Amino acid sequence: MASLGTITRRAFLVGSVAVAGGVAFGVYKLRQPVPNPLRPEHGAALNAFLIIDQDGVTVVTGRAEMGQGAQTTLAAMVAEELDVDWDQVRLTHGPASAAYYNAALFEGALGGADYDMADWQRGFGAALGQVGKVLGTQITGGSTSIKDGFDKLRAAGASAREALKQVAAERLGTTPGALRTEGCAVIAADGTRLPYADLAEAAARIEAPQVDLRPASDWRLLGRELPRPDMPAKVTGRATYGIDVRLPGQKFASVRMNPRLGGAMLRHDPAPALAVPGVERVLDLGDGIAVIARNTWAAIRGAEAAVIDWGPAPYPADDAAIAARIASAFDGSPNSTLRDDGDAEGTAATLEADYHLPYLAHATMEPMNATALFTGDALDIWAPNQTPLVQRKTAAEIAGLDPDAVTIHTTILGGGFGRRLESDFTALATRVALQMPGTPVQVTWSREEDMTHDFYRPGVIARMRGATEGGRVTLLDAQIAGQGLMAEAGARMLGLPVAGPDRTLAEGLFDQPYAIPHYRARAYAADVGIPVGFWRSVGSSHNGFIHESFVDELAHEAGADPLAFRLAMVRDESAVAAGVLEAVREMSGWDRPKPAGIGRGVALCWSFGTPVAEVVEVVDEGGRIRIARGWIACDVGTAMDPGILRAQMEGGMIFGLSAAVHGRISFADGMVEQRNFPDYDALRMSGAPRIETRILQTNPHLGGAGEPGTPPAAPALANALFDLTGIRARTLPLEGQFDFVL
């Protein structure tokens, strides 16, 4: 491991080579029927991220494409240094390999607030990230793909470019410095043009040259809105998602597991399932069944038809009992106190409020699925997933195989939001395949099975105390109780015990850029037993609502303008955060008088390295409320692709507004009550706001984009509703409390 400081490009390349188990620029041969990006059938793999052949270049990102556009920007990083035209670039995910470990995840896991993190802490986080090679953190999540790939992918392109120039120089009898590169070719001073494809195999055999990366002022591709190479196939229906996988002789399956999550299957009668046309077999999985059929619809209908007696749930049976279990966590010691400025305990409160937020489902458009083929000594898995090495480890353990005997084919994802960090869909497909050796079987969950067998965003309860004096907050004392994620989801994925303070429970409360003299945030881990997992923006998804709703309440108690009130506390703490507040102030016309029947609310949340401020405007339309406008200002540091950034921020806002208005997972008799989209809706086009987004670039560090747009959405909406109606929402969802135009 390099010293605690900046990890050099050479340290990265040498380290990834050691993990990948090959030479730096090896030329590989195909070993599997499905092409492996690191062992191309044609052309040469110059490093773990780049293949060159006669048709152009293929960038291997090692990151999942689930609509967020990360593969496009990562490929542009390689292309920027490699000097290829954008239309010559192809994208692929690549294999499960520790060469694609995500080091940036570890910087975000450090205990401090991102806005206040010193350079030495960031350096320590970067060094700590090298542990990802051992832990196998090939993970698409945490809004880290661009941050993690920024140096890696550019270095891959730059070193490959120089290797190609070295080979060309030898052939032309000149020096690399006398050559230039352009349009996928090396060009000599006399105009002689040597295509990369003719040089690649020789370049793949030499040591990787190390060169400085180009400054932003020389960029041709980065910083621009680029056409996304994945979009034509998606809009024409040619893209292959997990549920589109088709193999010779493939069978189709669906599963049915205990709706009381983690409970046993007591007995079952497969006869009604076998009577469904198209059903061929019913497999006993011990804790549930799998129905094998000639098509997915028959498999789903067969699974629904089976008669099954289920055992009880290992957690409280209904919402009231679950809430009581969460509240009881306050009786114990806090799991963490990640902020404790001043004397919160000794400062009297002038305002107290409790907030209650529900469990939430991921509700991806593509339900959970995986296709598996077991041949006795090897296993292939085709699955839309965010964690290829986790999938491989899970499948290998179930099948009793060495991990090297398991091949993971990561398809495009029809939505992730953190759900596909898990490996339960791969586990079930593996269990089914083991009973059908030699036959590929696609296991697709019904929408109802998907919705009722999630790893949910935890439900939480918050107890807030605050005080104002002279128009400013003097006390903010926050307590949050809920299920911690690291001890559960983190341990599930990494296979290691995860102890200590759970940052995910407190993020969004303790790490906000507010100068408050008495500021404390305590988190209490509740032992509930409901399966929980990472949900888009994680702890900030609930704590952003709690923090910014309570700050708004304090502003009204102080008789202050909510946006100016925030700015007064933020300016001295973070100029970057103040900048996004100033931006939405100007964008939304905040200081101009509002007509009657209009309410506006503001919220600020710094999450995943990016401060985001949002203003939401609501309009009274004859007694019903329309969410009419939304304004977003974010500061990601360097905007690699403004179009993708805008899409992510606006998608994040819609995701947050949907959860705020509709989102709720409730329990009765140990079972989830919501089963499909009519029970768990999202904003429709008719009810969505018109959104304007501004991207600032003053942040000295790269921030994330996939998640930070979500946390401010719910509080900005709730604060706008208060501005319009005078009703303060301290629970979610908002439907039932307000009548929305949907």
Side-chain angles (χ1 to χ4, degrees):
M1 181 180 295
S3 61
L4 297 186
T6 302
I7 304 302
T8 66
R9 289 186 294 279
R10 185 166 186 82
F12 159 71
L13 290 170
V14 171
S16 64
V17 165
V19 173
V23 296
F25 288 172
V27 180
Y28 302 102
K29 294 183 178 180
L30 185 67
R31 187 176 65 179
Q32 301 287 343
V34 177
N36 182 329
L38 289 179
R39 296 169 175 82
E41 186 174 16
H42 304 288
L46 272 72
N47 53 48
F49 302 98
L50 177 63
I51 298 168
I52 297 179
D53 60 24
Q54 293 295 330
D55 295 324
V57 303
T58 298
V59 176
V60 184
T61 66
R63 296 291 176 263
E65 175 52 56
M66 46 191 162
Q68 85 280 33
Q71 286 190 356
T72 295
T73 303
L74 291 169
M77 292 174 186
V78 176
E80 186 67 71
E81 293 286 345
L82 190 60
D83 287 333
V84 297
D85 296 332
W86 188 236
D87 60 4
Q88 297 172 309
V89 177
R90 301 184 299 272
L91 312 180
T92 191
H93 178 280
S97 170
Y100 307 105
Y101 72 98
N102 187 336
L105 284 171
F106 291 84
E107 183 179 312
L110 296 178
D114 182 84
Y115 78 88
D116 197 34
M117 194 175 292
D119 288 342
W120 73 264
Q121 292 174 295
R122 295 185 187 278
F124 177 74
L128 184 63
Q130 304 300 298
V131 176
K133 300 175 193 175
V134 178
L135 296 180
T137 56
Q138 185 184 1
I139 295 173
T140 306
S143 298
T144 56
S145 292
I146 303 307
K147 182 176 183 177
D148 180 70
F150 184 55
D151 282 340
K152 294 179 182 178
L153 275 295
R154 290 188 301 145
S159 61
R161 180 192 72 231
E162 294 306 308
L164 292 161
K165 287 170 66 178
Q166 281 191 24
V167 172
E170 292 173 3
R171 293 185 182 179
L172 296 173
T174 186
T175 63
L179 304 173
R180 63 186 178 90
T181 50
E182 179 184 297
C184 218
V186 178
I187 304 172
D190 64 0
T192 300
R193 187 182 185 91
L194 299 181
Y196 284 172
D198 295 345
L199 306 169
E201 290 199 16
R205 297 190 185 99
I206 68 175
E207 183 179 356
Q210 303 300 304
V211 295
D212 291 334
L213 302 178
R214 289 170 174 163
S217 58
D218 291 345
W219 288 350
R220 301 172 302 108
L221 300 175
L222 295 174
R224 294 175 46 204
E225 295 186 24
L226 295 175
R228 285 181 52 174
D230 58 316
M231 293 305 282
K234 288 180 176 178
V235 300
T236 57
R238 292 181 290 110
T240 301
Y241 292 84
I243 55 175
D244 296 321
V245 170
R246 294 294 182 270
L247 302 170
Q250 179 174 309
K251 296 296 183 180
F252 300 86
S254 193
V255 294
R256 189 168 157 208
M257 310 302 285
N258 194 334
R260 300 182 184 95
L261 308 173
M265 181 173 71
L266 303 179
R267 63 189 65 83
H268 75 285
D269 179 5
L274 292 167
V276 173
V279 170
E280 298 178 349
R281 296 176 61 186
V282 176
L283 305 182
D284 184 345
L285 300 179
D287 53 354
I289 64 166
V291 174
I292 313 300
R294 291 193 292 271
N295 59 69
T296 297
W297 181 238
I300 289 174
R301 290 184 61 228
E304 292 171 344
V307 176
I308 307 175
D309 291 336
W310 302 112
Y315 48 81
D318 56 36
D319 287 347
I322 291 167
R325 180 73 63 84
I326 294 172
S328 69
F330 289 121
D331 298 333
S333 299
N335 169 267
S336 70
T337 304
L338 293 180
R339 189 163 186 166
D340 194 2
D341 300 341
D343 181 17
E345 190 68 33
T347 302
T350 59
L351 178 67
E352 296 187 2
D354 289 356
Y355 295 85
H356 297 257
L357 279 75
Y359 287 83
L360 295 176
H362 294 84
T364 60
M365 188 61 67
E366 179 188 22
M368 297 302 105
N369 69 89
T371 301
L373 172 60
F374 176 63
T375 58
D377 57 1
L379 176 66
D380 279 76
I381 300 285
W382 291 260
N385 74 89
Q386 297 172 244
T387 51
L389 288 172
V390 173
Q391 311 302 317
R392 189 176 73 173
K393 179 176 181 291
T394 296
E397 289 176 350
I398 292 171
L401 296 172
D402 186 279
D404 289 340
V406 178
T407 302
I408 301 296
H409 309 267
T410 298
T411 66
I412 297 172
L413 285 63
F417 315 127
R419 176 62 177 91
R420 288 186 159 99
L421 293 166
E422 304 289 348
S423 60
D424 53 332
F425 45 89
T426 289
L428 284 171
T430 300
R431 293 168 64 188
V432 171
L434 290 177
Q435 296 193 45
M436 302 180 63
T439 300
V441 57
Q442 183 177 84
V443 181
T444 303
W445 300 19
S446 69
R447 177 65 61 193
E448 290 76 13
E449 194 74 11
D450 183 288
M451 193 79 75
T452 58
H453 292 79
D454 204 341
F455 290 91
Y456 300 98
R457 199 286 305 271
V460 297
I461 299 173
R463 295 176 178 173
M464 307 293 288
R465 297 172 60 248
T468 60
E469 183 178 336
R472 296 188 64 151
V473 177
T474 56
L475 167 69
L476 195 154
D477 189 13
Q479 296 183 85
I480 182 81
Q483 291 179 252
L485 292 178
M486 291 311 300
E488 297 186 34
R492 263 197 319 271
M493 292 175 198
L494 299 178
L496 297 170
V498 180
D502 192 328
R503 179 191 173 99
T504 65
L505 191 51
E507 61 187 6
L509 274 181
F510 84 92
D511 52 358
Q512 297 308 295
Y514 285 85
I516 299 171
H518 307 291
Y519 191 158
R520 179 171 63 174
R522 291 173 288 173
Y524 298 79
D527 183 9
V528 180
I530 293 172
V532 292
F534 298 99
W535 189 89
R536 190 176 189 175
S537 72
V538 199
S540 294
S541 69
H542 47 75
N543 289 333
F545 174 79
I546 294 161
H547 188 280
E548 287 300 287
S549 294
F550 192 63
V551 168
D552 216 66
E553 294 201 46
L554 290 168
H556 286 279
E557 181 192 64
D561 174 84
L563 200 153
F565 185 73
R566 287 172 168 81
L567 268 173
M569 293 182 284
V570 169
R571 276 198 185 100
D572 294 338
E573 196 76 4
S574 169
V576 176
V580 297
L581 276 171
E582 291 280 17
V584 290
R585 182 184 203 171
E586 184 268 323
M587 293 163 66
S588 64
W590 181 272
D591 295 325
R592 294 195 298 268
K594 298 192 305 291
I598 290 179
R600 289 194 190 117
V602 63
L604 166 72
C605 187
W606 191 305
S607 66
F608 302 93
T610 299
V612 179
E614 296 180 2
V615 169
V616 170
E617 181 177 280
V618 295
V619 178
D620 186 331
E621 294 188 354
R624 302 187 72 197
I625 298 172
R626 177 178 295 280
I627 306 172
R629 300 287 302 276
W631 293 271
I632 305 170
C634 64
D635 197 331
V636 298
T638 302
M640 300 294 171
D641 188 311
I644 289 176
L645 287 171
R646 275 197 302 274
Q648 284 302 288
M649 290 296 158
E650 293 173 9
M653 173 181 264
I654 294 295
F655 196 83
L657 292 175
S658 293
V661 173
H662 300 292
R664 181 187 179 217
I665 288 295
S666 58
F667 291 82
D669 191 24
M671 296 181 285
V672 171
E673 294 185 295
Q674 291 72 27
R675 295 178 53 78
N676 209 317
F677 286 117
D679 312 318
Y680 194 88
D681 212 343
L683 286 189
R684 309 299 178 90
M685 292 177 67
S686 58
R690 184 157 52 95
I691 302 174
E692 178 184 342
T693 300
R694 183 176 298 176
I695 301 166
L696 294 97
Q697 300 187 64
T698 69
N699 192 337
H701 305 287
L702 275 179
E707 295 166 276
T710 295
L717 174 57
N719 295 338
L721 292 168
F722 175 80
D723 186 47
L724 177 67
T725 68
I727 299 172
R728 178 66 68 182
R730 292 175 173 169
T731 63
L732 294 179
L734 296 168
E735 65 179 4
Q737 302 178 64
F738 302 91
D739 186 10
F740 291 98
V741 175
L742 301 174

